Structures are given as structure tokens and as C-alpha cells.
Amino acid sequence: SAQETAPPHGDLEIGVRAVAGDHDSAQFNEYRDLHPGFFIRDFQTSLDHLFQKDYFLTIQTRDSLQKDQRFRVTFGRYGKYRVEFDWDSTPHEFTNSAATLYTESSPGVFTVPAAVRGNLIANPASLPTMLLGATPLDIALKRQLGSVSFEYTPTGAWTVMLRYAHESENGNRPFGTILNSSNMLELPEPTDYRVHEVKAGVEYGNNRGGFQAGYTGSFLDRKSVV
């Protein structure tokens, strides 16, 4: 009777998370997202012989609706072609308690307001009190990677492959510098770049031999900051 049972077409793992204890440190969520409440841990489904033909569709997700979510969708026709889409998101939290007396007039340009400078010159001892009203800063990066690939097999001997990938990273990372040859200062370094990668290839093989040929190109697009 087990052999007559239809195979499963999907799997879903969900839950509700409660977080206890001390989790205020940025190290707790440095490369992940463990927020309390409802979450979708894992989902996958596989559909074969769509439209009563040799088409197939596979969907996989992990940590959906979170900062570290992943997706994969695959569609194709057995023995002919295959299209795959991937998406991956990864956070990097450096700290969750950063604050500054500087103001950012444009990306990478920081100045101290005239009123703050005047107060510090007139009364340097007031610095701890002024820091209580400092502006919070988001010192974190968000990396996202998406790709789409296509594989085509016109005959049993030939295979053609194409792939495009796009990676981006944006946010602020801590950057240490020295003022007046002795004072150490840490500022947020704006980060915003994108990498485009293109791949193409062809393969041929039979019982006598075969060959492969391919091309890979990588292009960096970085937003300039001062």
C-alpha cells in the first residue's frame, strides 16, 4: 500500500518565536534575523508533468519575510531546457547603539553644527550631557544577491548555458580616523555598490570526445561618495 501512495508535492514549516533573555547586543542578529512572532522557516513544492506534459516547477523558500531570506524558483521541460531564479539576502549589523553629534549634509560629508561647536568650546565638560541627545545612526549593511540562469539542450550532445547575477551592498560601516594627530574618531562610511556578472557557455560531447567553451564578465558599479 505504501507504493501506491502518491508522492508528496510540498512541505511547509512555520512557527511562532518568543525571544527571552538579553538580546540587545548587535552580535545577536549580526548576520541573521531572529525577531519574535510568526515566521516561515521553510517552504518547498515540486510539481511534475504540468499541463499533462513534461514541464516541471519547483519553488523553495527559507526564512521568508525576514532580513536573511532566500528564494529559488526552477521551471523547465525535462530533456530540453531549465530556467532557475535565485534570491539571497544577508544582513550585517555592526552595532545597534551608535549615535553622533555630526550631521550628514550629503553622503560621506559630516559636519558639527555651529551650536554644538559653540557649546563644546564654552563648556567642554558638557560633552557627556550632549551625547545623551546625539542622533542615532544605523550602522549596518544589507547584501542582496539575485541570479537567473538558463540551460538549453537542443540535442543529447549539445548544451547551451547562460547566467546573469546581480549583487548589491548598501548601508554604513564603521570607519576609524585620526583627528589632530592624536584623537581617534569613528564615522559611518557610506557603502553602495553593485556587481553585475554575465556567464555564457556551450558544451558538446559524444562517445568519441567533447569540448567546452565559455565566457565570464564581471562589472563593478560603485556609487561615488565623498
Side-chain angles (χ1 to χ4, degrees):
S1 61
Q3 293 178 352
E4 297 175 355
T5 303
H9 291 288
D11 182 74
L12 175 64
E13 181 182 345
I14 62 175
V16 177
R17 180 187 295 118
V19 182
D22 183 11
H23 54 85
D24 292 334
S25 172
Q27 297 294 319
F28 184 77
N29 279 323
E30 185 172 6
Y31 293 105
R32 59 185 182 178
D33 184 11
L34 292 179
H35 62 268
F38 174 81
F39 68 94
I40 302 175
R41 177 64 175 175
D42 183 77
F43 169 74
Q44 55 183 338
T45 183
S46 180
L47 304 175
D48 295 325
H49 303 292
L50 294 176
F51 315 115
Q52 298 181 348
K53 295 184 179 180
D54 293 333
Y55 296 100
F56 64 89
L57 174 66
T58 301
I59 301 175
Q60 297 174 303
T61 70
R62 187 169 181 84
D63 298 327
S64 303
L65 308 178
Q66 298 181 190
K67 295 179 181 179
D68 53 349
Q69 57 189 342
R70 298 174 178 86
F71 299 93
R72 172 172 290 176
V73 178
T74 307
F75 173 78
R77 185 175 184 179
Y78 291 112
K80 281 298 181 181
Y81 64 87
R82 172 190 178 97
V83 180
E84 184 173 280
F85 172 78
D86 287 278
W87 179 264
D88 188 345
S89 180
T90 304
H92 188 179
E93 301 281 345
F94 292 97
T95 178
N96 55 13
S97 59
T100 183
L101 295 176
Y102 286 77
T103 58
E104 188 175 12
S105 57
S106 60
V109 179
F110 297 90
T111 58
V112 179
V116 175
R117 293 200 305 267
N119 289 336
L120 290 176
I121 293 174
N123 185 14
S126 65
L127 178 60
T129 302
M130 297 182 65
L131 289 176
L132 296 176
T135 303
L137 282 177
D138 184 16
I139 307 298
L141 293 175
K142 185 176 182 180
R143 176 181 175 272
Q144 295 179 320
L145 175 62
S147 66
V148 57
S149 59
F150 175 73
E151 184 175 306
Y152 177 54
T153 308
T155 66
W158 288 92
T159 301
V160 179
M161 297 166 290
L162 299 172
R163 185 177 186 270
Y164 169 74
H166 174 271
E167 179 184 356
S168 67
E169 187 171 77
N170 57 75
N172 294 307
R173 69 172 75 243
F175 177 76
T177 185
I178 298 178
L179 297 180
N180 301 327
S181 302
S182 59
N183 297 322
M184 189 69 182
L185 180 66
E186 196 170 63
L187 291 173
E189 177 189 5
T191 301
D192 189 358
Y193 76 84
R194 294 163 182 81
V195 177
H196 306 270
E197 185 179 73
V198 180
K199 291 185 177 181
V202 60
E203 295 181 359
Y204 175 82
N206 56 25
N207 56 1
R208 296 182 179 181
F211 76 91
Q212 293 179 329
Y215 165 81
T216 300
S218 183
F219 311 93
L220 174 64
D221 178 16
R222 183 184 179 99
K223 185 178 180 180
S224 62
V225 295
V226 179

